[in-house]
Amino acid sequence: MLFRTFRLASNLSSFQPTEFTMTETATFAAGCFWGVEHLYKKHFGKDGVTTKVGYTGGNTDNPNYCQVCSGQTEHAEAVELTFDPECVSYATLVEFFYKMHDPTTANRQGPDVGSQYRSAIFYHSQQQKETAEKVTEQVQAEHYPNKPIVTEIIPASIFYDAEAYHQLYLEKNPGGYECPTHFLRW
């Protein structure tokens, strides 16, 4: 029989149980990251979803905005979300991703053209991959039956935070540039 001895703190009144929340990460690219971040924050901030913008899916370490815009790094402008799946499901976030941009255009959203503006879901687990594929099939059938979705569903790689002035850009700059294709379609 195995016994473990625990030493108790002398001041038990200072003990505070900690509530642990299991969070997950979701990463999406849907054109200019300012509008994508703004819409996720607007619609899911109340559910505890946090956002940050950055670059992922490329071949250069620590790229900056100018490098990514050149198209040479192969990174996408992306939004990384941290969420509690007890409050909002990954499937809901994926469906919203499709709702808020045009997933049928390769390497562009509206006037923003280049591989950095591609439509992509960067999954962080096998379960996220399967969910993304299932939601994509449903969205294809229900909303784009005559136009193929070109969204990439690929493994997440290193996410590099964008420069500070890009974070929460449209909150700090109301009326700043928003890609005209970032709106809810259904």
Side-chain angles (χ1 to χ4, degrees):
M1 186 173 242
L2 179 63
F3 292 95
R4 292 192 177 187
T5 305
F6 296 96
R7 198 173 76 178
L8 295 175
S10 60
N11 184 0
L12 290 179
S13 65
S14 67
F15 176 74
Q16 299 269 324
T18 304
E19 184 178 316
F20 291 100
T21 303
M22 297 298 293
T23 61
E24 290 186 30
T25 301
T27 308
F28 302 106
C32 176
F33 49 28
W34 295 339
V36 178
E37 178 186 46
H38 183 71
L39 284 172
Y40 271 110
K41 188 149 182 65
K42 178 180 176 182
H43 291 274
F44 296 102
K46 66 187 179 319
D47 298 318
V49 174
T50 61
T51 63
K52 65 179 176 176
V53 298
Y55 317 110
T56 193
N59 58 21
T60 301
D61 291 340
N62 297 307
N64 62 42
Y65 184 67
C66 290
Q67 291 172 316
V68 172
C69 285
S70 76
Q72 300 298 310
T73 70
E74 298 182 19
H75 285 88
E77 287 192 14
V79 175
E80 186 175 88
L81 309 175
T82 302
F83 68 100
D84 178 351
E86 296 289 322
C87 296
V88 60
S89 71
Y90 182 70
T92 298
L93 297 173
V94 173
E95 182 183 9
F96 188 81
F97 162 81
Y98 282 117
K99 227 185 246 198
M100 49 111 41
H101 84 294
D102 181 354
T104 68
T105 56
N107 297 325
R108 82 173 302 145
Q109 285 298 304
D112 298 328
V113 179
S115 62
Q116 69 271 27
Y117 300 116
R118 66 188 177 269
S119 176
I121 299 170
F122 298 92
Y123 60 85
H124 294 265
S125 68
Q126 184 62 30
Q127 183 180 3
Q128 283 190 355
K129 178 184 180 192
E130 291 168 8
T131 300
E133 290 171 342
K134 181 179 177 183
V135 172
T136 301
E137 288 173 14
Q138 292 169 339
V139 169
Q140 179 73 70
E142 293 173 23
H143 300 285
Y144 298 99
N146 300 316
K147 202 168 183 184
I149 289 176
V150 298
T151 301
E152 299 174 343
I153 300 174
I154 54 179
S157 58
I158 298 171
F159 185 92
Y160 298 99
D161 292 0
E163 297 80 354
Y165 69 92
H166 288 296
Q167 306 300 330
L168 303 172
Y169 182 84
L170 290 173
E171 259 184 42
K172 295 184 237 175
N173 299 282
Y177 172 78
E178 287 185 68
C179 178
T181 63
H182 290 144
F183 61 88
L184 300 184
R185 286 153 172 76
W186 66 86

